[in-house]
Structure formats: structure tokens, C-alpha cells
Amino acid sequence: MNELDHQLEKILITEDEIKKKVQELADEIDTAFPPGEEIIMICILRGAVVFMADLARCLERQVTFDFMDVSSYGSGTVTSGVVRIIKDLEEDISGKNVLIVEDIIDTGLTLKYVVKVLKTRKPARLKVVTLLDKPERRVTEFKADFNGFAIPDMFVVGYGLDYAQKYRNLPYIAVLKASVYS
Ligand code: IMP
């Protein structure tokens, strides 16, 4: 995919920049959890699949994978703040080291809810990593423990992120043209 798709404005973060950042995040995560202890990585479907696959391979310890699918009620770009679990975890996380892996934090509502729910299951440690963050869009206070790139308020796709389920397989992060969704 050498040519930029006609719906895309520009490349915001290149494949090389992502690769470097993923390794940096993995190093931070390895330092933050007790040495040698296993981590359950929880992928928030579907956007975080690509990031989690790469991140896992940069971590210097045993990890296991689990998946959670959540959706927020509301239409279009407006979320109501009510989040629903569509697919819950398979594993019992009590007493375990848990890392929630997210692609992007926007309003912060999804992760705030997921963290609240998972804390009630008494993990030994619960931390959050996000590749991207749009701090300007926050409607509730939320900060991840490990942050990749802070980006402006624009709609981005690629490296797992979609627009209408498209573009997830781009190896870079690109900005969607505003004319496509407005
Ligand atoms: P929030 O933080 O609860 O608003 O939700 C974050 C979720 O919104 C992410 O997991 C994505 O699925 C979606 N999202 C937010 N901004 C973007 C974007 O720029 N591109 C693609 N998906 C996005």
C-alpha cells in the first residue's frame, strides 16, 4: 500500500515511529511490573489487536492474552457515557498482574468504566497502556499509566484503528479527511 487512499489526508505517525514507540512502551511496562512475573494482557476489541500483538512480542516475560469487547451507547461521535460489556474476559484476574491494552483514548469514558469493573475483581496490579491519546477530547478525567503518542483532535485510522471497519491493516496512523465523516 504505497499510495495514500483517497479518503486519507496524510500520514500522522509512520511505521518506524510506531515500532520505536512500541519498544519504548514495552520497556516501561517491563520495568513497572515485578520482574519475571506473568502479565495478563487484556485487549480492548477490536482496535487494539494490532498494537497488542506487536507490544506482546517486545515484552521480556511470559504473557497471556484475554479479550474484552465494550461499546458505548450513543450514536456517531456523541457518546452517552454508558458503556456496555459485549464480551467479557475468559480468565479470572484476581491476584494477577493485569495490563489493559487500548488503541486510543478519546472521551475517556470507555476506559474509566472498564477499569472500574476490573478493579472489583481484585487483580494484584491493574495498569493501562494506550498507543494514542486525544487529551483535548476528554469528558471525564482519565490517564493511562503508559502513553504512546498524544495527538490533536482529528479522526485517525490505521494500525488497528478503523473508519467503518476499514483501514485497520495500514501499517501507519493516518488522518481521515474531514469531508469523509462530516
Ligand atoms: P472513549 O475514550 O470512550 O471515547 O473511546 C475510545 C474509543 O473510541 C477507541 O477505542 C476507538 O474505538 C474510538 N475512537 C476514538 N477516536 C478514534 C479515532 O480517531 N479513530 C478511530 N477510532 C477512534
Side-chain angles (χ1 to χ4, degrees):
M1 270 184 256
N2 289 328
E3 226 173 273
L4 204 60
D5 185 274
H6 70 282
Q7 289 190 313
L8 305 180
E9 183 84 51
K10 61 171 180 178
I11 293 176
L12 187 67
I13 306 170
T14 66
E15 194 173 352
D16 279 353
E17 287 168 333
I18 295 172
K19 208 170 174 184
K20 193 163 161 259
K21 185 65 79 179
V22 171
Q23 183 62 60
E24 283 169 12
L25 288 169
D27 293 344
E28 271 183 61
I29 292 162
D30 265 328
T31 308
F33 281 93
E37 285 187 17
E38 197 170 295
I39 299 174
I40 303 182
M41 300 179 79
I42 297 179
C43 176
I44 307 297
L45 295 168
R46 303 174 212 173
V49 166
V50 177
F51 174 42
M52 181 152 124
D54 283 348
L55 183 67
R57 284 175 287 181
C58 292
L59 288 168
E60 298 275 343
R61 64 174 74 216
Q62 296 278 4
V63 300
T64 60
F65 288 177
D66 209 339
F67 299 86
M68 196 167 189
D69 196 359
V70 289
S71 88
S72 45
Y73 286 109
S75 59
T77 52
V78 185
T79 50
S80 59
V82 182
V83 180
R84 184 168 56 117
I85 296 177
I86 296 171
K87 188 218 166 290
D88 206 340
L89 301 177
E90 303 292 330
E91 306 298 325
D92 175 8
I93 60 167
S94 74
K96 306 278 177 59
N97 294 310
V98 174
L99 178 68
I100 299 172
V101 183
E102 178 63 302
D103 52 356
I104 187 164
I105 305 177
D106 188 36
T107 62
L109 293 167
T110 306
L111 277 182
K112 193 146 195 175
Y113 177 78
V114 169
V115 166
K116 192 175 98 184
V117 169
L118 295 189
K119 269 189 179 160
T120 66
R121 301 180 190 179
K122 305 272 183 289
R125 283 166 205 86
L126 179 64
K127 294 186 185 292
V128 176
V129 58
T130 186
L131 182 68
L132 304 172
D133 187 6
K134 290 191 213 172
E136 283 169 47
R137 294 259 310 163
R138 219 53 113 253
V139 302
T140 182
E141 209 174 303
F142 187 86
K143 238 191 137 324
D145 300 280
F146 313 101
N147 292 277
F149 302 93
I151 62 166
D153 179 10
M154 39 177 54
F155 200 87
V156 291
V157 295
Y159 198 69
L161 290 131
D162 75 304
Y163 172 68
Q165 299 304 326
K166 276 169 57 185
Y167 303 117
R168 292 193 195 274
N169 61 327
L170 294 177
Y172 46 77
I173 307 277
V175 179
L176 192 71
K177 283 182 184 162
S179 57
V180 176
Y181 59 91
S182 56

